[in-house]
Amino acid sequence: MATLKETITFKNNVDRIIALIASAYENDKTVFVMGEKKAAKQISDKFIIDCGVHGRNGIKSISVNAACTKCSVRFKTLAGRGDILITLPCADCSDSINSITEYALSRGVEVVSLCEGDDIDAVFCGLKARLEDMWGIEVLRRPKNKFKIALFDFDGTLSLIRQGWQEIMTPYFTEVLMNTPKGKEESYEELSAIAREFIDRLTGKQTIFQCIELDEQVVKRGGEHVDPMVYKNEYLRRLMERIADRRNGLANNTINPTELLVKGSEDFLQALIDEGFTIYLASGTDEPQVKEEAHLLGVDRFFGENIYGARDEHATECTKEIVIRRIIKENNIDPAELISFGDGYVELELVRNIDGFAVAVATNEERHTGIDEWKRKRLTAADACAVIPDFERTDKLMNFIMGRD
C-alpha cells in the first residue's frame, strides 16, 4: 500500500509541481483539487481560467469537496494514472483527504499536498509562462463534416524560407510613399502604418495585389502612376537578396530542410494522405518559385501536381480563389468537405465564405515555436475555425479534424 510519504509537498518543489501539471496538460490529463468546497472550487477555477493562453482554456481541472461522500466516489471513478490530485489543508476533513490520498497513490495519481501559507500563485504564474509555448488547439468551431480535401498555404504555413518578408516589403513600400509630394508631409511612422495595414490585409493574395495597392497610395499622394510590376520586381530583388543564404543552404545540403519547415509539417502531410485525403498547395508567390522551394524543402512529394502559385495570366485574379473553385469542380465535392491551413487573412476568408473549415496556423516564425499573438488575433478576426501554432502534435490534430477527440 502506498504511504502519505509519497506525496509531493510544496516547499522546494514548485518547479517540479509546475512540470507535472504542464505534462498533465500536454497529455490531456486532469488536475483534481480536493479540500473544503469553496476553496477547492476557487483553486480549480484558477487552473482553468488563469492558466489560459492564446484563447485556449487552461488546465483541465475538477474540484472535489472533501466533506462530500459522493464527490469522493466521483473522484475514484474519474481519476487514473497520470492525473494529479492537489490536496488543500482542511482540518475537518483530514481523515477523508488521507483516505483519498492513499487511493490516489495506489492508482498512479501524483499527489501534491499544500499547507497553510503555501503560495499557490507561484504555480499559476510559472504554469502560464510554460504553457505559452506548449502545443494546443484553440477551438472556435468544431468540425461537423467528413473532410476529403485539404488545402495548404505555403509561406508561413509550411515554409519558413521567406520568414521576415514583411521586414523587406514594409520599409520598401514606406520609402516609396515618402518620395511622393504629399508623402513628404507625413511621418515615416504614419506611412509605415498605412503600408503595414494593406500589406497585412492582402497577405495570401499574389504579391502583385499589394503592389497595385501601393501604386494607388502613391497616386493618391500626388505621385506618378507606375506599373505595379516595377514595384514587385524591386521587392523580389530585395527579398531574394535576404533569403539567398537559406535557398543556397538547402540546395547544397548545408541546411537541413527541417530547419526551414514549420514543425511537424511532413508527418502531418503524410498522416492526411494515409487517411485518404487529397492535398493541394496554393500560394500567392510566383509558381516557379513555389515549386522550387517546395522541392528544396522536400514537401513537393506530398502534393505531386497539386502545387499552384501566382501566374502572369492570372495577375489580377486571386490564385487561391481559382484553385478553390477548381478543387470543388474537379473533385465534385461539397465545399463543406474542404479543410484549409493557412496564416493569411485572405485564404481563411475565402474558405469560410464557402462554408469550408479554416484552420489558422499562427506560427511564431522568428522563434520557430509557439504562437505569434499578433497573427492569432488577425486570423481569429478572419473567422478562423481553429488556431494552432504548428503541426507538431500530428496525433492530436488528426484526432481533432477527424472528430476522434
Side-chain angles (χ1 to χ4, degrees):
M1 175 69 71
T3 69
L4 293 183
K5 291 181 180 179
E6 295 176 58
T7 64
I8 302 166
T9 58
F10 193 85
K11 186 177 181 181
N12 300 324
N13 283 311
V14 174
D15 289 343
R16 181 184 173 190
I17 294 168
I18 289 171
L20 279 173
I21 297 173
S23 178
Y25 170 85
E26 191 170 24
N27 292 294
D28 201 30
K29 299 297 183 179
T30 303
V31 174
F32 295 89
V33 183
M34 186 174 193
E36 184 272 325
K37 181 179 179 180
K38 185 176 180 180
K41 178 73 164 58
Q42 185 180 39
I43 297 296
S44 179
D45 287 348
K46 284 174 73 72
F47 275 117
I48 296 170
I49 299 168
D50 289 8
C51 294
V53 292
H54 306 308
R56 306 193 299 259
N57 282 338
I59 311 298
K60 185 164 76 172
S61 181
I62 298 174
S63 63
V64 182
N65 179 3
C68 174
T69 303
K70 287 184 179 180
C71 289
S72 297
V73 171
R74 182 169 179 249
F75 169 79
K76 290 180 178 181
T77 302
L78 297 176
R81 183 170 296 278
D83 289 331
I84 297 171
L85 171 64
I86 297 177
T87 63
L88 307 179
C90 182
D92 295 336
C93 307
S94 58
D95 288 344
S96 176
I97 290 175
N98 287 343
S99 174
I100 289 294
T101 297
E102 292 282 3
Y103 174 82
L105 290 169
S106 72
R107 295 280 294 170
V109 176
E110 294 280 2
V111 180
V112 176
S113 177
L114 295 189
C115 299
E116 293 288 350
D118 286 340
D119 183 15
I120 188 66
D121 284 340
V123 171
F124 295 128
C125 183
L127 267 175
K128 188 158 186 174
R130 187 155 182 158
L131 295 182
E132 284 284 338
D133 282 342
M134 290 189 71
W135 200 93
I137 304 175
E138 178 182 357
V139 180
L140 302 169
R141 288 181 181 79
R142 287 205 162 267
K144 296 180 180 178
N145 302 291
K146 182 174 175 58
F147 303 115
K148 296 179 179 179
I149 306 290
L151 173 67
F152 285 82
D153 175 44
F154 187 57
D155 296 310
T157 300
L158 297 172
S159 171
L160 298 175
I161 292 176
R162 300 190 176 214
Q163 183 271 318
W165 64 268
Q166 298 96 327
E167 297 164 20
I168 303 297
M169 182 178 280
T170 303
Y172 168 49
F173 281 14
T174 304
E175 172 190 317
V176 170
L177 294 174
M178 287 188 73
N179 287 325
T180 61
K182 291 183 180 177
K184 296 181 189 300
E185 301 170 4
E186 298 178 76
S187 70
Y188 181 91
E189 289 73 20
E190 290 172 326
L191 293 173
S192 180
I194 290 167
R196 279 198 309 273
E197 187 281 324
F198 71 77
I199 289 170
D200 294 341
R201 174 166 40 85
L202 296 170
T203 294
K205 287 192 174 184
Q206 297 95 298
T207 304
I208 194 66
F209 280 87
Q210 289 151 327
C211 297
I212 291 170
E213 176 82 10
L214 173 62
D215 181 58
E216 291 174 358
Q217 293 287 341
V218 166
V219 172
K220 180 179 176 181
R221 287 167 173 75
E224 293 186 8
H225 162 70
V226 173
D227 184 344
M229 282 299 297
V230 173
Y231 295 132
K232 177 181 173 180
N233 290 336
E234 175 57 18
Y235 157 69
L236 289 177
R237 183 193 69 77
R238 297 184 185 202
L239 176 64
M240 289 301 171
E241 193 174 83
R242 158 97 174 234
I243 66 174
D245 288 346
R246 299 173 192 171
R247 288 165 55 93
N248 292 337
L250 290 168
N252 61 30
N253 297 317
T254 58
I255 294 179
N256 189 318
T258 57
E259 295 178 34
L260 292 173
L261 274 170
V262 170
K263 282 184 181 179
S265 294
E266 292 176 296
D267 287 346
F268 183 58
L269 292 172
Q270 186 61 56
L272 287 171
I273 291 171
D274 291 344
E275 285 283 357
F277 278 72
T278 302
I279 60 175
Y280 290 78
L281 188 156
S283 173
T285 299
D286 288 350
E287 191 166 289
Q289 283 69 50
V290 175
K291 291 184 173 180
E292 179 186 9
E293 291 175 14
H295 179 69
L296 288 172
L297 291 170
V299 296
D300 56 335
R301 70 187 190 277
F302 297 107
F303 295 97
E305 298 299 313
N306 297 335
I307 298 178
Y308 302 92
R311 296 182 179 182
D312 289 343
E313 62 265 34
H314 299 305
T316 57
E317 292 185 84
C318 177
T319 299
K320 291 171 185 175
E321 189 170 3
I322 294 172
V323 171
I324 289 171
R325 289 201 302 263
R326 182 183 301 169
I327 287 171
I328 292 169
K329 182 179 179 181
E330 291 180 355
N331 294 278
N332 191 28
I333 65 165
D334 184 324
E337 296 173 317
L338 171 68
I339 184 170
S340 72
F341 300 87
D343 74 330
Y345 192 100
V346 169
E347 59 257 27
L348 290 174
E349 193 171 49
L350 285 170
V351 171
R352 290 298 300 132
N353 283 345
I354 61 169
D355 202 30
F357 196 86
V359 179
V361 185
T363 301
N364 187 316
E365 296 181 41
E366 187 174 354
R367 297 177 57 237
H368 293 202
T369 192
I371 289 276
D372 181 323
E373 189 59 31
W374 175 82
K375 262 191 187 184
R376 174 191 164 269
K377 288 178 179 177
R378 184 167 59 92
L379 297 174
T380 53
D383 200 24
C385 300
V387 184
I388 57 174
D390 49 48
F391 308 106
E392 186 175 25
R393 292 301 304 269
T394 287
D395 54 346
K396 286 194 171 186
L397 186 51
M398 286 302 300
N399 286 340
F400 172 69
I401 67 176
M402 300 299 292
R404 296 192 291 248
D405 64 339

